[in-house]
Amino acid sequence: VMHRRGYDEQVWFTFSYSPLRDEDGAVRGMFCACTETTARIRAETALRESEIRFRNMADNAPVMMWVTGADGACTYLNRRWYEYTGQTEAEALGLGWLDAVHPDDRDRSGEVFLTANARHREFQLEYRLRGADGSYRWFIDAAQPRLGEDGAFLGYIGSDRHPRPQGCRGAPDRDDAAARRDPEQHLPGDLPDG
């Protein structure tokens, strides 16, 4: 803690020590460089706290959430994804999440996602997703592009949600029997050009 600018302030410094040698190479002294690192430490702390807040929010959201990089590789899936699918982080990251998509929906889902990623466009699609118990349920997967301050495409933030919570009255659940009759009926058409 240092008193400056009229108040006590927690500050950080980095010290670097180097020996001072004479012409024969013998150590004759020590050079000490002191660099204040308060701004860097505060920025790192703020970033860690922001990441903790995001993960807490995402892990407790009532939907499965995910984030990708600009290359399309999934870099984050929230806790609900892992609980529902039973996948591990090692299995789901990258494009591993597609392994939990029903085999009849997998190619089309990957194509829609990769096409949207190449165009940096929002997208929405429906597919059957395998639960940890091995059963499949329909989900709506929707995402918006993440953009940097300079407008550069950074990837996506998206979510998967069941179109109708279990036990709600309304349209009947889509079931595997209906999907077997017409496996493409619930997938969207091509993305609009643009």
Side-chain angles (χ1 to χ4, degrees):
V1 176
M2 175 183 284
H3 187 81
R4 64 179 177 185
R5 296 193 254 327
Y7 61 92
D8 288 341
E9 177 181 0
Q10 188 168 14
V11 294
W12 289 267
F13 293 91
T14 298
F15 293 88
S16 176
Y17 300 94
S18 301
L20 295 175
R21 300 180 185 273
D22 64 17
E23 59 275 354
D24 296 326
V27 175
R28 296 293 179 203
M30 177 87 48
F31 174 78
C32 176
C34 176
T35 306
E36 184 173 358
T37 55
T38 302
R40 181 179 57 84
I41 297 295
R42 286 184 180 155
E44 290 171 357
T45 300
L47 179 60
R48 273 193 307 276
E49 289 171 355
S50 177
E51 289 172 351
I52 290 168
R53 278 192 306 274
F54 169 78
R55 287 182 187 273
N56 184 42
M57 176 191 68
D59 281 341
N60 290 292
V63 296
M64 292 181 276
M65 293 179 66
W66 51 269
V67 176
T68 68
D71 63 355
C74 193
T75 59
Y76 172 78
L77 290 131
N78 73 344
R79 178 176 46 92
R80 295 205 188 272
W81 173 272
Y82 297 115
E83 288 172 353
Y84 178 77
T85 65
Q87 283 187 308
T88 65
E89 190 173 295
E91 293 168 332
L93 293 181
L95 292 175
W97 61 272
L98 279 167
D99 293 337
V101 173
H102 192 284
D104 292 343
D105 304 336
R106 190 174 298 144
D107 288 344
R108 178 75 174 136
S109 297
E111 178 185 325
V112 168
F113 170 73
L114 292 173
T115 299
N117 191 75
R119 295 179 182 174
H120 306 167
R121 301 280 308 264
E122 66 182 76
F123 71 91
Q124 178 175 314
L125 69 145
E126 294 184 35
Y127 52 72
R128 289 164 287 177
L129 190 61
R130 183 184 63 240
D133 65 358
S135 66
Y136 286 88
R137 291 180 67 194
W138 283 100
F139 280 83
I140 298 172
D141 189 353
Q144 291 287 326
R146 288 186 310 115
L147 303 176
E149 289 182 17
D150 61 355
F153 178 72
L154 301 176
Y156 285 102
I157 184 163
S159 65
D160 290 274
R161 65 178 178 81
H162 188 56
R164 186 174 62 82
Q166 287 182 308
C168 289
R169 298 188 187 275
D173 271 336
R174 298 175 180 147
D175 60 14
D176 284 338
R180 282 192 298 274
R181 287 191 301 273
D182 187 1
E184 296 284 30
Q185 79 182 45
H186 300 294
L187 295 174
D190 290 335
L191 291 169
D193 289 330

